[in-house]
Amino acid sequence: MLSLSEVCKSYQEPDGSRLPILDVPELSVAAGEQVVLRGRSGCGKTTLLNCIAGLTSVDSGRIEIKGHDVVKLPEAARDRFRAKFIGFVFQTFNLLPAFSALENVLLGMTFTDQRADPQRAAELLKMVGLSHRLTHKPRALSVGEQQRVAVARALANKPVLLLADEPTANVDPAHQQQIIDLLRDACRQEGVAMLLVTHADEVANQFERIEYLEQVNRAAGVA
Ligand SMILES: Nc1ncnc2c1ncn2[C@@H]1O[C@H](COP(=O)(O)OP(=O)(O)O)[C@@H](O)[C@H]1O
Ligand SMILES: [Mg+2]
């Protein structure tokens, strides 16, 4: 379902030279599979997720999702592809402060051809345990509740792949497990594959498959 081959990403340094960040010969995730991505700070985890999501362009290589090479898509088509097939949960939630929980989930739907579906948005918020908070804006929600809204938003378009970048790093320890359970159950229920970055052993150890980016990424030793 997701398949990377020979993906390279570098940044230009002020002196004009290139700083290699990613050099990934191969990485695949099957449909519905749940994979943890680990690695020390700065080894390229966020960059890798951003490249897979098409939020950052790569220098070369193939990133195939559902048989489409997202690297080859022009920017506008890539944005539509991302909206349709990929859900993203950020470390800092990225909810829009002026909008309610329900509206934030609905806004996750508006970039695709299908119409926003308030009933599905409400069902997703029910699934994350927030039926009683539909009209609350982010500042009136606890941190754990905000991340639960973000999980609902990431699933709004029934993606095939959910990318989660340290989704519990800013959630208090008492609610971390709840977010992880929620992500795993929701992805299982909806048949969504998941690639999740975490630093926490207790989170990573719950997954059958753990990939260490230092092993996957030949540039990790260089950067
Ligand atoms: N826009 C950028 N320009 C130059 N270097 C960058 C940029 N974004 C990230 N980097 C560098 O890329 C490396 C990987 O960053 P990142 O993917 O955020 O790592 P991780 O998420 O594993 O901590 C870091 O060394 C970082 O300094
Ligand atoms: Mg990161």
Side-chain angles (χ1 to χ4, degrees):
M1 194 279 308
L2 169 69
S3 160
L4 277 70
S5 71
E6 302 298 339
V7 170
C8 290
K9 168 73 186 173
S10 62
Y11 285 111
Q12 186 153 16
E13 302 244 64
D15 67 3
S17 66
R18 308 292 308 187
L19 176 68
I21 304 294
L22 295 177
D23 179 357
V24 177
E26 206 277 318
L27 178 68
S28 296
V29 176
E33 191 180 15
Q34 302 192 347
V35 182
V36 156
L37 188 64
R38 303 197 72 175
R40 63 176 166 72
S41 177
C43 77
K45 302 179 298 294
T46 295
T47 306
L48 180 65
L49 292 198
N50 287 341
C51 289
I52 294 170
L55 293 164
T56 299
S57 61
V58 300
D59 303 348
S60 58
R62 292 174 65 84
I63 300 178
E64 264 188 39
I65 298 171
K66 275 188 75 121
H68 298 268
D69 183 357
V70 294
V71 171
K72 289 218 185 75
L73 292 176
E75 200 175 323
R78 208 192 298 163
D79 290 344
R80 282 197 300 275
F81 188 89
R82 180 188 326 115
K84 204 162 178 173
F85 293 115
I86 298 176
F88 212 116
V89 178
F90 300 90
Q91 193 175 335
T92 48
F93 325 142
N94 285 12
L95 297 175
L96 292 167
F99 295 92
S100 71
L102 186 71
E103 287 162 344
N104 265 283
V105 178
L106 278 170
L107 282 163
M109 296 174 176
T110 50
F111 297 101
T112 59
D113 32 14
Q114 78 214 40
R115 289 193 46 205
D117 179 349
Q119 201 183 329
R120 174 161 169 83
E123 276 164 18
L124 284 165
L125 285 165
K126 186 178 174 199
M127 183 177 73
V128 301
L130 290 177
S131 314
H132 59 312
R133 293 287 184 270
L134 299 185
T135 59
H136 282 227
K137 292 183 179 167
R139 68 168 179 279
L141 294 167
S142 75
V143 162
E145 286 172 339
Q146 288 180 51
Q147 192 61 311
R148 283 192 268 157
V149 175
V151 170
R153 178 187 56 187
L155 294 165
N157 286 327
K158 298 192 178 165
V160 297
L161 175 64
L162 191 138
L163 302 169
D165 193 359
E166 303 191 41
T168 59
N170 290 303
V171 176
D172 62 282
H175 291 101
Q176 284 179 9
Q177 190 58 45
Q178 194 181 37
I179 295 292
I180 295 298
D181 288 342
L182 189 60
L183 279 166
R184 301 200 75 184
D185 293 345
C187 284
R188 223 174 276 135
Q189 216 167 310
E190 304 239 328
V192 180
M194 174 161 73
L195 187 55
L196 176 138
V197 172
T198 185
H199 280 299
D201 291 334
E202 66 275 17
V203 171
N205 292 339
Q206 299 171 33
F207 286 73
E208 276 172 33
R209 182 172 162 205
I210 303 174
E211 293 289 344
Y212 294 89
L213 195 54
E214 288 93 342
Q215 289 165 19
V216 173
N217 176 19
R218 288 191 292 219
V222 183

